[in-house]
Amino acid sequence: MNAARTAAQDFPGSWRPNPTSTVALFEQLRLQLIHLVDRGTLPPGTRLPAVRALAEELEVAPHTVARAYKELEAAGVVATRGRNGTVVCPRDERLGGLSAAAADYAAAARAQGATFAEAVQLLAAAYDAGQ
């Protein structure tokens, strides 16, 4: 059995979204998938669970999973291939540097005692200021 197939069978594993978090459920799922893709846990070609199946397993609304998948597709992380499902795409070089910068930012935020929500708010404000 290939690694991509094994990874998809193991996803989401024990991970579950935190319903008490200030971060929306779809965003928690989106961030978790990006984390797994960036770490190589979900390599390119991995077929993700169907929207309804994953929603049932995570005990969230199907729209939550569909929105996360849609945003991941818009970012080039996954591709939806109709009846063939949603698969992880190869990441391009541009996002490799961005991933490293994000890791540095996360480390700095943790070192200064910022919560995840505070770090996201600061990043969102900086992102919006650049428009």
Side-chain angles (χ1 to χ4, degrees):
M1 184 174 294
N2 68 34
R5 186 167 177 81
T6 301
Q9 290 172 337
D10 293 341
F11 177 77
S14 62
W15 181 85
R16 296 293 179 266
N18 178 356
T20 63
S21 173
T22 59
V23 178
L25 296 175
F26 82 89
E27 182 67 4
Q28 291 179 48
L29 176 57
R30 187 186 74 80
L31 292 170
Q32 176 67 8
L33 282 164
I34 289 171
H35 173 73
L36 294 173
V37 168
D38 285 347
R39 282 187 41 204
T41 304
L42 292 176
T46 300
R47 185 173 174 184
L48 298 178
V51 168
R52 289 188 190 275
L54 184 56
E56 185 176 311
E57 185 169 353
L58 296 177
E59 298 179 352
V60 298
H63 175 74
T64 299
V65 176
R67 181 161 178 196
Y69 280 13
K70 181 180 178 181
E71 293 206 7
L72 289 166
E73 186 167 24
V77 177
V78 301
T80 301
R81 298 187 175 138
R83 292 188 168 264
N84 292 325
T86 301
V87 297
V88 175
C89 296
R91 304 285 287 199
D92 63 24
E93 296 291 322
R94 177 181 60 86
L95 294 181
L98 188 56
S99 179
D104 291 343
Y105 174 73
R110 278 193 303 274
Q112 293 188 25
T115 66
F116 178 78
E118 290 167 335
V120 169
Q121 286 176 331
L122 290 169
L123 180 59
Y127 193 88
D128 290 343
Q131 291 184 352

